[in-house]
Amino acid sequence: MADLLIVDDESNIRSHFASYVRTLGHGTELAASAEEALAALARRPFDIVFTDVRMAGMDGLALLKEIKRRAPETVVVLMTAYATVADAVEAMRAGAYDYLVKPFGLDQVRLVVERALELQSLRRENRRLHLAVDEPVLLTPASAAMQRALATAERVAASDATVLLTGESGTGKTVLARQIHAWSTRRHAPFVTIACTTLAEHLLESELFGHVKGAFTGALKNKPGRVEAAEGGTLFLDEVGELPLELQAKLLRFLEEHRFERVGGTTTAHVDARVIAATNRDLDAEVAAGRVREDLYFRLNVVGIHLPALRERPEDLPALIDHILGVFAARHGRAAVRLSPEARTVLESYRWPGNVRELINALERGLVLCTSNEITVDDLPDRLLAPVPARGVAVAAPSTSPPEAGESLEELERRRIAQVLADSTTLDEAAARLGINTTTLWRKRKRYGFD
């Protein structure tokens, strides 16, 4: 059964159309104008929208363009008694699925609905396969801490509240942000990510809020930012704790008012976008150190969700291993690959400082290098093979001295980075060992005075 929205300013057409569609087993909602249709779409999604072209106020073509902007997956069929080739071409270019000329038979309606639903089914299956092969997924966790995190995420998804995801690098904050978006009423609108660590500070403001022509050297034309691209959807700020103080004030204003100006511009823009932020830093400590504004922290942390490190939820590891192996077998065109008992013991005993991201990399390496349908210890990265006791016993990495009494997380991180940098020949190697990207390590090195 599908949900259809029928938009026409003639009541008899709406009622006859709806009566027939209901005999096919589908649900319907009626709208007498484009404005009513947009209000209905704001309340809930529809699989197919049938809309008249000529209506008072906003016409059907303008409605089509607005629907495609807000919910690009929605199938839109235009209806008109005044068809021209030019109108049909314009409709198809704007994203219409079909173009019905009045008067049309009910069999035509049935065929259009059947074909449109088949298209929807194919799109969903394509997305499912894409996610299975290319994207990490949230498995049903066995650990209580992860269960609480997912339960909170599912509850908050129905609102527009700002969410702050915390946890070490590689724990799955980006995956959870995408899932919150997918659970929300904004799921048909864009999910836009900006990584606050990957751009130079002078470019970050332009990337977020856009700029006008001539705002700075190289600004040859107006350029919208990621905030505008997230209209109607979700803006995900990854590693928000790395934002420079100057930009934090502008972000705070956007969080409070949903208003901003492009760099170099004077026109105020309004964007309806839900914000999810993530950080691997202790923001309480960052506020105390004066590196993060306290008012911004409280505005971001309306609903805080902490993702535990992989070493803190060892009961989730077996299912994660099996799922990731299945994903990489499909991606690389391999038959089912299993772990040898010895290799599985190594994986389940390791502390995983890089968390799920490090686990993914280790398993992909093992699958690519193994010469049979079994991954052995020899196929795993060397760093996993140091002698380790049984799972559950804390182990320090060979090059890491134990934390000193009273040592803060920041001091521990500084010491760990210094040790890894000293033991690595390149910045890329050090970043891989730490489970972070090279740009993040470059900034941390600068932050701690290791230049």
Side-chain angles (χ1 to χ4, degrees), residues 312-392:
E312 296 169 355
R313 51 186 186 107
E315 59 269 49
D316 291 334
L317 194 56
L320 274 171
I321 290 171
D322 292 340
H323 171 75
I324 293 166
L325 279 179
V327 167
F328 283 124
R331 180 181 298 178
H332 293 287
R334 296 283 299 271
V337 175
R338 64 177 181 272
L339 285 167
S340 70
E342 296 80 10
R344 187 173 286 272
T345 297
V346 168
L347 293 177
E348 294 184 356
S349 300
Y350 185 63
R351 294 282 289 167
W352 299 111
N355 293 295
V356 179
R357 184 182 297 127
E358 186 183 10
L359 174 65
I360 290 172
N361 292 341
L363 289 173
E364 184 172 23
R365 169 199 164 102
L367 183 139
V368 169
L369 294 182
C370 71
T371 55
S372 65
N373 64 345
E374 183 176 78
I375 297 174
T376 68
V377 171
D378 292 337
D379 302 316
L380 298 176
D382 292 342
R383 66 180 180 278
L384 274 61
L385 306 181
V388 290
R391 189 203 317 173

Side-chain angles (χ1 to χ4, degrees), residues 391-434:
R391 189 203 317 173
V393 179
V395 183
S399 62
T400 306
S401 56
E404 300 172 1
E407 189 174 29
S408 70
L409 288 174
E410 184 172 8
E411 291 165 343
L412 182 61
E413 180 185 65
R414 186 183 189 280
R415 192 153 58 89
R416 171 63 175 157
I417 290 174
Q419 290 168 339
V420 172
L421 285 170
D423 293 340
S424 303
T425 56
T426 67
L427 201 63
D428 288 339
E429 179 188 343
R433 291 176 61 184
L434 290 165

Side-chain angles (χ1 to χ4, degrees), residues 70 153 156-159 163 174-192 230-236 274 276:
R70 297 187 184 190
V156 76
S159 73
V163 179
T174 299
V175 178
L176 183 56
R178 287 186 178 278
Q179 187 60 62
I180 291 172
H181 175 75
W183 280 331
S184 76
T185 56
R186 297 174 177 265
R187 58 187 173 273
H188 297 294
F191 178 89
V192 178
E231 171 65 42
T234 301
L235 179 68
F236 177 51
R274 194 251 190 95
I276 301 176

Side-chain angles (χ1 to χ4, degrees), residues 82-103:
Y82 308 95
T84 67
V85 173
D87 289 342
V89 169
E90 184 180 3
M92 295 306 172
R93 284 178 175 170
Y97 173 72
D98 210 338
Y99 195 86
L100 294 179
V101 179
K102 298 177 181 179

Side-chain angles (χ1 to χ4, degrees), residues 181-362:
H181 175 75
W183 280 331
S184 76
T185 56
R186 297 174 177 265
R187 58 187 173 273
H188 297 294
F191 178 89
V192 178
T193 298
I194 183 161
C196 301
T197 58
T198 58
L199 293 170
E201 292 181 6
H202 67 284
L203 295 177
L204 193 53
E205 183 177 4
S206 171
E207 189 69 15
L208 259 174
F209 298 107
H211 62 255
V212 299
K213 180 180 178 180
F216 49 82
T217 302
L220 303 179
K221 61 180 180 179
N222 292 344
K223 177 183 177 296
R226 298 289 182 90
V227 169
E228 290 174 78
E231 171 65 42
T234 301
L235 179 68
F236 177 51
L237 301 173
D238 195 15
E239 297 306 342
V240 70
E242 304 289 341
L243 281 177
L245 278 169
E246 297 77 14
L247 192 50
Q248 291 178 25
K250 193 165 183 177
L251 175 60
L252 176 63
R253 181 194 173 201
F254 175 71
L255 288 170
E256 292 178 338
E257 303 175 7
H258 290 274
R259 297 181 185 278
F260 64 94
E261 290 81 35
R262 292 181 180 177
V263 177
T266 57
T267 302
T268 299
H270 178 275
V271 168
D272 172 28
R274 194 251 190 95
V275 174
I276 301 176
T279 183
N280 62 6
R281 305 203 65 80
D282 179 352
L283 290 192
D284 286 308
E286 295 296 293
V287 169
R291 288 187 290 265
V292 172
R293 294 175 58 116
E294 185 176 40
D295 48 4
L296 175 63
Y297 172 47
F298 289 131
R299 191 62 188 81
L300 287 170
N301 195 26
V302 176
V303 178
I305 302 175
H306 181 73
L307 293 184
L310 188 53
R311 64 183 172 276
E312 296 169 355
R313 51 186 186 107
E315 59 269 49
D316 291 334
L317 194 56
L320 274 171
I321 290 171
D322 292 340
H323 171 75
I324 293 166
L325 279 179
V327 167
F328 283 124
R331 180 181 298 178
H332 293 287
R334 296 283 299 271
V337 175
R338 64 177 181 272
L339 285 167
S340 70
E342 296 80 10
R344 187 173 286 272
T345 297
V346 168
L347 293 177
E348 294 184 356
S349 300
Y350 185 63
R351 294 282 289 167
W352 299 111
N355 293 295
V356 179
R357 184 182 297 127
E358 186 183 10
L359 174 65
I360 290 172
N361 292 341

